[in-house]
Amino acid sequence: MTTGTDPEVTPGDMTARGVHHASRAAIPARHLRTDRWWLVPAGTAAGLLAFVVYSTWRAFAGDDYYAAPYVSPFYSPCVAENCVPMKGGADWEIFGAWWGLSPALLILIFPLGFRLTCYYYRKAYYRSFWASPPACAVAEPHKRYGGETRFPLILQNVHRYFFYFAVIVALILTYDTALGFRDERGEWGHMGLGTLVLLANIVLIWAYTLSCHSCRHIVGGRLKHFSKHPVRYRLWSWAGLLNSRHALLAWASLVSVMAADLYVYLVASGVFDDPRFF
């Protein structure tokens, strides 16, 4: 369909890109929006970039991730021999002394893979970093659109499998949160500010994980008659309620996991002592 306006380039000019390419509709302007549409993709890019920088630093640091009884979510479960001993924690020496890098690099691939292939995050970084498209009613600058049918974007389809690993990691972090109700000697019946930080983090992580589109499909997908499956229908309804807030939960859990790691880092590095309530 054309607009009846003349393009800024001739139809035979195959060097033009984006909306001015000969194969696209003849629309001279890239957009007709008058608002500051670029604020959302720019803010999204800034937020994601900040998390990438912070998580990269902490993942490669390899220290100050355990302050009894708290362990950073970036380092749990800790599956290398070079892990700091954790009292009753998920400290499993699966990888021997040959692993000399940070133990976080062995486990972060699963929660990060889950988020990287998440439907919301795909939309977020496609728009903010690749401008595909940068915003609603704003044309993308790319010559053609290939979708997620070719390498490497076809690998986004592994999201459903990363979901299962994300559930396992969430269960382990739930266990870590429960250990937060102990003191540094391992005695139960205590709670500090770090306990609340880890508790808030795991609640948001579970909310984000269960709001995932894959989770909604697992509990209620491929059903022809909801009336014959009342339990799965109820679970599907609950997942749907969370799914309507998926974007908000994606950001809230991203901030919470970074805040939890930062809190443990500050306590472990001796910046301040964990305030205890009882």
Side-chain angles (χ1 to χ4, degrees):
M1 184 177 81
T2 61
T3 61
T5 59
D6 295 328
E8 294 182 352
V9 296
T10 61
D13 186 5
M14 299 303 292
T15 62
R17 299 180 61 84
V19 295
H20 300 310
H21 189 260
S23 63
R24 305 292 290 271
I27 303 176
R30 288 196 60 209
H31 66 86
L32 301 176
R33 293 180 60 166
T34 58
D35 61 325
R36 297 179 180 178
W37 58 265
W38 49 268
L39 285 177
V40 172
T44 300
L48 293 177
L49 186 60
F51 179 80
V52 168
V53 172
Y54 176 84
S55 60
T56 300
W57 165 59
R58 288 295 296 140
F60 281 92
D63 56 9
D64 295 328
Y65 55 85
Y66 180 66
Y70 311 127
V71 57
S72 164
F74 283 10
Y75 286 82
S76 184
C78 206
V79 294
E81 188 176 296
N82 60 356
C83 292
V84 174
M86 304 176 189
K87 300 176 182 178
D91 184 8
W92 308 322
E93 298 180 2
I94 299 177
F95 291 81
W98 60 271
W99 181 262
L101 300 177
S102 169
L105 300 178
L106 295 171
I107 194 63
L108 277 180
I109 185 175
F110 298 109
L112 289 180
F114 177 60
R115 289 181 182 267
L116 189 65
T117 58
C118 165
Y119 292 113
Y120 168 72
Y121 282 115
R122 278 144 74 172
K123 166 193 168 183
Y125 63 76
Y126 285 173
R127 288 190 170 190
S128 58
F129 291 106
W130 295 349
S132 182
C136 292
V138 179
E140 60 181 275
H142 307 288
K143 182 181 297 186
R144 56 183 177 271
Y145 175 73
E148 297 177 335
T149 60
R150 294 178 298 178
F151 183 84
L153 295 184
I154 195 173
L155 297 178
Q156 301 282 28
N157 292 320
V158 301
H159 177 64
R160 69 192 68 180
Y161 303 108
F162 272 117
F163 169 77
Y164 298 115
F165 288 107
V167 169
I168 295 174
V169 172
L171 288 171
I172 295 173
L173 295 182
T174 302
Y175 174 72
D176 293 336
T177 302
L179 295 181
F181 288 91
R182 306 185 309 175
D183 62 13
E184 60 276 3
R185 295 182 299 276
E187 298 178 355
W188 293 92
H190 300 273
M191 186 178 74
L193 179 59
T195 309
L196 298 181
V197 173
L198 295 183
L199 184 61
N201 177 56
I202 194 58
V203 168
L204 289 173
I205 285 180
W206 273 116
Y208 166 66
T209 303
L210 298 179
S211 71
C212 171
H213 295 77
S214 293
C215 176
R216 192 165 183 256
H217 176 74
I218 288 171
V219 298
R222 306 179 71 89
L223 292 181
K224 294 182 179 179
H225 304 285
F226 277 131
S227 59
K228 296 181 180 180
H229 304 273
V231 175
R232 292 186 63 182
Y233 173 69
R234 181 56 60 90
L235 293 176
W236 179 83
S237 299
W238 291 342
L241 290 175
L242 288 174
N243 184 259
S244 65
R245 298 289 185 271
H246 192 51
L248 176 62
L249 293 172
W251 279 105
S253 60
L254 194 71
V255 172
S256 72
V257 73
M258 185 169 61
D261 173 81
L262 179 61
Y263 186 87
V264 175
Y265 165 74
L266 294 175
V267 174
S269 60
V271 175
F272 61 82
D273 295 327
D274 176 51
R276 291 302 177 96
F277 302 127
F278 57 85

